[in-house]
Amino acid sequence: MSHVPDINREPDYTRLLNLQNLSTWTLDRQREHGGDRTTYEAALASFQSHLRSQHIDGDRRTSALLRSRKVEKHLRALIRASQKAEQAAEGLRTAYAAHVAHVTALPGQREAKAAKKAAKKTGRRTAAGELTAKSLGKSAAAFPPPYDSPDLPDAAPAAGQPRGITELWKEQSA
């Protein structure tokens, strides 16, 4: 009994998630599309030679060429499509390889980024603490000493001097 493929079953492409399997598969697709392109190019050459040599009485010099180009454009489209498919298969392989490398390296990159961020945060806290201490030291030096200091004269105003703004206004208005 021969093996008959089950055409109603969906193909299993999950095996292509292995980079080695995907590389093999895409290289096969590239060879297949390259072979198709070669076949289409040979067919184009055959059509060109046959159709361009069909001269009918009453034709102008370029009539056969113009007629053949109407057919040739479809073969040229097949050639371009095969080239594009071949390039897309290669693009798929390289993009997936880059993706796998990126995903593999991602945990290490994230750990390094978190460590760098933590070091930067700790450095900022340390720097902020140092700046605060320096600023407080400068501020303390700029302020006068407390009132109970023996270096200060008596805080009460001398006789005849106004005690506040109200007394100053009273003197001015009198």
Side-chain angles (χ1 to χ4, degrees):
M1 182 192 243
S2 67
H3 176 31
V4 178
D6 185 9
I7 60 173
N8 293 327
R9 192 183 69 174
E10 291 282 325
D12 182 24
Y13 290 110
T14 57
R15 66 181 180 83
L16 295 179
L17 295 175
N18 178 320
L19 186 57
Q20 184 63 37
N21 291 345
L22 180 72
S23 295
T24 303
W25 185 76
T26 54
L27 286 171
D28 288 344
R29 299 292 74 75
Q30 277 185 275
R31 279 191 291 276
E32 187 176 313
H33 293 302
D36 290 346
R37 182 176 43 85
T38 305
T39 302
Y40 299 146
E41 287 170 346
L44 177 64
S46 176
F47 271 80
Q48 281 178 337
S49 67
H50 178 72
L51 295 177
R52 289 181 182 188
S53 65
Q54 286 182 335
H55 290 284
I56 302 170
D57 291 337
D59 275 353
R60 293 188 202 144
R61 219 175 57 189
T62 58
S63 295
L65 173 68
L66 293 175
R67 279 193 306 267
S68 81
R69 287 177 77 184
K70 290 179 183 178
V71 175
E72 293 171 13
K73 73 178 181 181
H74 298 286
L75 281 168
R76 289 183 200 281
L78 285 171
I79 292 169
R80 282 192 302 275
S82 292
Q83 286 173 332
K84 189 173 180 178
E86 193 175 358
Q87 291 168 350
E90 182 179 359
L92 172 63
R93 182 176 62 252
T94 57
Y96 188 67
H99 171 78
V100 168
H102 176 71
V103 168
T104 304
L106 206 52
Q109 290 173 350
R110 287 184 178 162
E111 281 181 25
K113 184 177 179 181
K116 185 177 177 182
K117 184 177 179 181
K120 188 175 181 181
K121 195 173 188 179
T122 303
R124 277 195 306 240
R125 284 182 181 162
T126 304
E130 290 172 1
L131 285 174
T132 304
K134 185 177 179 182
S135 174
L136 286 175
K138 286 182 177 181
S139 296
F143 285 120
Y147 290 113
D148 58 340
S149 175
D151 299 343
L152 285 179
D154 193 10
Q161 285 187 340
R163 281 183 71 83
I165 189 97
T166 308
E167 287 183 16
L168 184 63
W169 279 104
K170 284 182 184 175
E171 285 180 15
Q172 295 288 331
S173 58

